[in-house]
Amino acid sequence: MLCLYMNDVDHTGHSIRIGLALGGGAARGFAHIGVLKVLEEENIPVHMVAGTSVGSLVGSLYCAGFRWQEIASFTKDVNWGQLAKPIWPTNGLVSSEKLEQTLNSVLKSSTFADLKLPFSAVAVDISQGEVVVLEHGAVAPAVRASCSIPGIFTPTEIDGRMLVDGGVLNSVPADVVRAMGADVVIAVNLNSDRKKNGKPENVIDMLFYSFNLMVSKNTETTLRAADVVIEPDLRDLGYYSLKKHDVAIARGEEAARRLIERIRARIS
């Protein structure tokens, strides 16, 4: 389970609360695990997490008490067949119902109240055009909603609202973590590159590329709430292929280690 370190204090003697904002990026999300590895090994505490899209998936596991090694093991051999299934096109190409089922089995149908750390999943109400921060009720459907990239995945209905991927309006929810009460916000942006080294592999990859180009502007805005921004070099990694699991983790680790002293400076 997670070890929580509450020894970091500011000059007034109050405990410093550190929040982590994990951004979207589909298959690139394995890089989040490398960041978690560094934070754990360097004894940097995480007191709360907000995630968008794949960031909500990784964040929910971390807040449930899984260490980085366990998350890496769980995601090592994951495939799209465990996360999505094709459907007759209506308001999406595939359903993410399997993602919800898979996460439910891992979390044992946890609610937000069951988690070890405060956690928020960020989605968007596509009808109202507004950000929805999910932090109550069942975790798995909230993560599913946060991962429902419009046009690819069907929307997820929660409490009568049609929800899609939070990246539409908030791809790296640093502002959400700040609102949760974090004194120091560490954000992880998986999409700092607009120009990709590789070409989209298929129509799904093309949709992922296009979506992340569209959300780049809101990323610049939401990152203003972060104290430290970790941006792994993922230019040669696509959004669809799940085969670069270990490579993405290593890139996340490299990026976090480069900024570890800056993180310590912000905390102290």
Side-chain angles (χ1 to χ4, degrees):
M1 306 304 285
L2 291 178
C3 295
L4 304 185
Y5 303 85
M6 303 299 290
N7 297 325
D8 297 288
V9 295
D10 62 18
H11 67 280
T12 65
H14 293 96
S15 295
I16 295 175
R17 293 166 57 79
I18 301 170
L20 188 61
L22 301 179
R28 291 179 166 196
F30 297 135
H32 287 318
I33 303 172
V35 174
L36 294 176
K37 175 184 179 181
V38 173
L39 296 179
E40 284 190 24
E41 291 180 348
E42 297 293 333
N43 288 333
I44 303 296
V46 174
H47 301 105
M48 63 199 71
V49 180
T52 291
S53 199
V54 70
S56 73
L57 176 59
V58 175
S60 68
L61 293 171
Y62 197 68
C63 290
F66 293 97
R67 299 181 73 94
W68 77 266
Q69 298 99 325
E70 295 171 300
I71 301 175
S73 177
F74 165 69
T75 57
K76 176 72 173 177
D77 298 314
V78 71
N79 60 72
W80 284 110
Q82 297 171 278
L83 305 176
K85 65 177 181 179
I87 59 172
W88 183 258
T90 51
N91 50 12
L93 297 176
V94 294
S95 167
S96 55
E97 182 180 358
K98 283 189 174 182
L99 183 153
E100 180 178 340
Q101 294 170 347
T102 299
L103 187 58
N104 251 334
S105 66
V106 174
L107 296 179
K108 298 182 176 14
S109 303
S110 291
T111 66
F112 283 85
D114 297 324
L115 300 177
K116 310 297 182 184
L117 296 176
F119 169 66
S120 295
V122 178
V124 166
D125 184 325
I126 195 66
S127 298
Q128 300 300 316
E130 61 186 20
V131 172
V132 177
V133 179
L134 300 165
E135 50 192 5
H136 301 288
V139 174
V143 170
R144 177 186 176 186
S146 182
C147 293
S148 298
I149 299 175
I152 299 179
F153 297 103
T154 55
T156 301
E157 186 173 342
I158 296 179
D159 295 333
R161 308 185 82 170
M162 198 64 73
L163 304 180
V164 298
D165 193 298
V168 171
L169 293 176
N170 193 336
S171 58
V172 187
D175 56 336
V176 175
V177 179
R178 183 73 72 186
M180 291 170 69
D183 302 301
V184 175
V185 175
I186 302 169
V188 186
N189 177 23
L190 305 179
N191 303 293
S192 60
D193 57 310
R194 291 194 184 185
K195 183 177 180 180
K196 310 290 188 291
N197 285 351
K199 297 179 181 179
E201 298 177 4
N202 48 48
V203 65
I204 299 296
D205 213 24
M206 177 69 78
L207 289 170
F208 277 126
Y209 271 45
S210 301
F211 177 75
N212 282 288
L213 280 174
M214 289 189 291
V215 304
S216 60
K217 281 296 182 184
N218 82 55
T219 302
E220 295 174 8
T221 301
T222 57
L223 283 178
R224 293 173 187 163
D227 296 291
V228 179
V229 180
I230 300 172
E231 296 185 319
D233 183 356
L234 304 172
R235 285 172 294 178
D236 57 333
L237 300 186
Y239 299 100
Y240 177 74
S241 176
L242 300 172
K243 297 178 180 179
K244 298 292 183 69
H245 176 270
D246 293 345
V247 175
I249 291 177
R251 300 285 180 81
E253 180 180 356
E254 291 166 7
R257 290 203 186 282
R258 285 195 298 269
L259 294 175
I260 197 65
E261 293 307 318
R262 184 181 301 178
I263 293 171
R264 290 192 186 284
R266 293 300 300 180
I267 294 172
S268 62

